[in-house]
Amino acid sequence: MRRFAEQRVLVTGASRGLGRDIALRFASEGASVFIGYRNRRQEAEDCAARCVTFGVEATPIALDLADAASVRAAISGLPALDVLVNNAATVRDQFFFLQSDADDAEVIAINLSGTMACIRAALPGMMRSGKGVVVNVASVAAIHGSPGQASYSASKGGIIALTRTLARELSGRGIRVNAVAPGIFDAGMAQRMDHRVREARLQLLPMGRAGRSEELASVVAFLASDEASYITGQTIAVDGGMTA
């Protein structure tokens, strides 16, 4: 299936983990993919090389989400995007009363303000085209209490609120905005979680296992496709029943 043939897709945080597999999914369905990365250029180039094997174009693009001006400069230099997937994020796990103001500020700057900067930079091209899709990667931490992740949870909760508001603002311009809220997966941040915490949380899941990265990529691709043409402003939890 080539649902995204002749479409241009930017995935932020796509040099590794869930973002890499989301980018590969779009490439496998015919999209030209921009591989957003911050520091891991070699891994971004490796991802691009894998995307090219599907017969599409793939280009690494450096994005420092903590610097809105550089984000604007990078994205404004691209052709109009059909799909923007805001996946890049950082986390600084620590109990709230022990966390520094600097760590709080960094998490909010990258996760929430960085997402806003990417959307703002992509909108002019989408508006000129009269169409476009934004898929924001939030987290179950925004829905389900997650001790030790106050700033991360707040940033992801902000993304869910942003998704709802922009869906209302932009639907009249042919632009849909949705979000996914991943739980524990076999790739991405969950892999860097303390293994004891990870196993304890997995045992509490109704489905009893971590998600596979392709399962999240499938939901993102669905939301970006014409099959979801009447869906906007929604957050889909992909979490094995954690928030059920």
Side-chain angles (χ1 to χ4, degrees):
M1 187 184 299
R2 307 277 284 182
R3 290 183 294 183
F4 302 102
E6 300 183 5
Q7 293 195 28
R8 293 178 289 268
V9 178
L10 168 59
V11 182
T12 69
S15 61
R16 60 177 179 164
L18 295 173
R20 176 195 59 208
D21 290 342
I22 290 169
L24 289 169
R25 177 57 181 263
F26 279 105
S28 74
E29 295 201 38
S32 296
V33 184
F34 294 99
I35 312 297
Y37 72 96
R38 186 180 185 185
N39 298 316
R40 301 176 182 275
R41 180 173 181 81
Q42 185 57 57
E43 291 176 70
E45 290 178 347
D46 292 345
C47 178
R50 290 181 63 185
C51 288
V52 168
T53 65
F54 293 106
V56 301
E57 294 182 358
T59 308
I61 174 173
L63 293 170
D64 181 358
L65 268 64
D67 183 346
S70 72
V71 169
R72 283 196 300 274
I75 295 179
S76 65
L78 302 179
L81 298 172
D82 297 286
V83 180
L84 168 63
V85 180
N86 287 303
N87 168 75
T90 192
V91 65
R92 294 289 182 269
D93 286 351
Q94 181 59 274
F95 288 117
F96 179 69
F97 70 95
L98 295 173
Q99 186 134 336
S100 70
D101 292 340
D103 280 348
D104 283 342
E106 180 185 21
V107 171
I108 297 296
I110 292 173
N111 298 2
L112 180 55
S113 298
T115 292
M116 295 173 75
C118 288
I119 297 172
R120 190 172 284 120
L123 280 181
M126 290 184 175
M127 288 179 172
R128 286 193 299 271
S129 300
K131 62 183 179 65
V133 177
V134 177
V135 181
N136 297 319
V137 179
S139 170
V140 292
I143 304 168
H144 185 276
S146 185
Q149 293 191 317
S151 57
Y152 180 76
S153 298
S155 70
K156 294 298 189 175
I159 286 173
I160 290 175
L162 176 69
T163 296
R164 291 175 178 151
T165 297
L166 292 185
R168 284 183 170 269
E169 285 191 12
L170 299 172
S171 60
R173 294 180 175 271
I175 300 169
R176 296 187 295 107
V177 187
N178 289 293
V180 292
I184 300 175
F185 273 80
D186 61 4
M189 290 180 180
Q191 290 299 98
R192 301 188 287 279
M193 183 185 297
D194 182 285
H195 72 92
R196 293 164 297 184
V197 174
R198 175 184 165 86
E199 289 306 313
R201 292 186 179 181
L202 286 175
Q203 289 177 17
L204 296 175
L205 288 181
M207 293 187 70
R209 65 169 176 86
R212 297 185 295 273
S213 58
E214 60 266 24
E215 292 175 312
L216 181 68
S218 293
V219 179
V220 172
F222 165 70
L223 289 173
S225 75
D226 288 342
E227 295 170 33
S229 58
Y230 200 52
I231 300 175
T232 195
Q234 302 304 304
T235 298
I236 309 299
V238 189
D239 65 358
M242 181 185 294
T243 56

